[in-house]
Amino acid sequence: MRFPNKEMLEFLRQEYPSGTRVRLIRMDDSQAPPLGTEGTVTGVDDMGSLLVDWDNGSHLNVIHGMDEVQKLNKEAK
């Protein structure tokens, strides 16, 4: 796994601020929430992973470059 550079981390943090709603499109993990599950981003860690509180109670992170989510809202406050 490659670590994202500083610019990519800043981009991800601006693109997915806390409160952003997302829908799971792809995640290669046996414990992944079902595809289509929605959740709320709570932050972006130093590896570029999205920290997500999934609506089904899961807290599995979305790994940048491996997993895929769809952003549901434009502005999060």
Side-chain angles (χ1 to χ4, degrees):
M1 176 186 297
R2 293 184 51 187
F3 291 90
N5 62 30
K6 185 176 179 179
E7 291 78 20
M8 178 56 73
L9 281 176
E10 183 60 31
F11 169 78
L12 290 169
R13 288 178 175 144
Q14 287 182 14
E15 188 71 12
Y16 296 97
S18 290
T20 300
R21 295 285 295 166
V22 294
R23 178 179 297 126
L24 184 61
I25 303 298
R26 181 182 71 229
M27 184 180 281
D28 187 20
D29 190 305
S30 62
Q31 297 181 18
L35 298 182
T37 300
E38 295 181 2
T40 304
V41 175
T42 61
V44 177
D45 69 13
D46 290 340
M47 300 246 332
S49 295
L50 300 181
L51 311 177
V52 180
D53 284 345
W54 297 103
D55 292 353
N56 70 349
S58 175
H59 296 280
L60 201 59
N61 296 344
V62 175
I63 300 173
H64 174 68
M66 294 183 69
D67 303 327
E68 183 180 353
V69 293
Q70 175 186 17
K71 199 165 147 180
L72 299 178
N73 57 348
K74 300 285 184 191
E75 286 291 321
K77 291 292 174 189

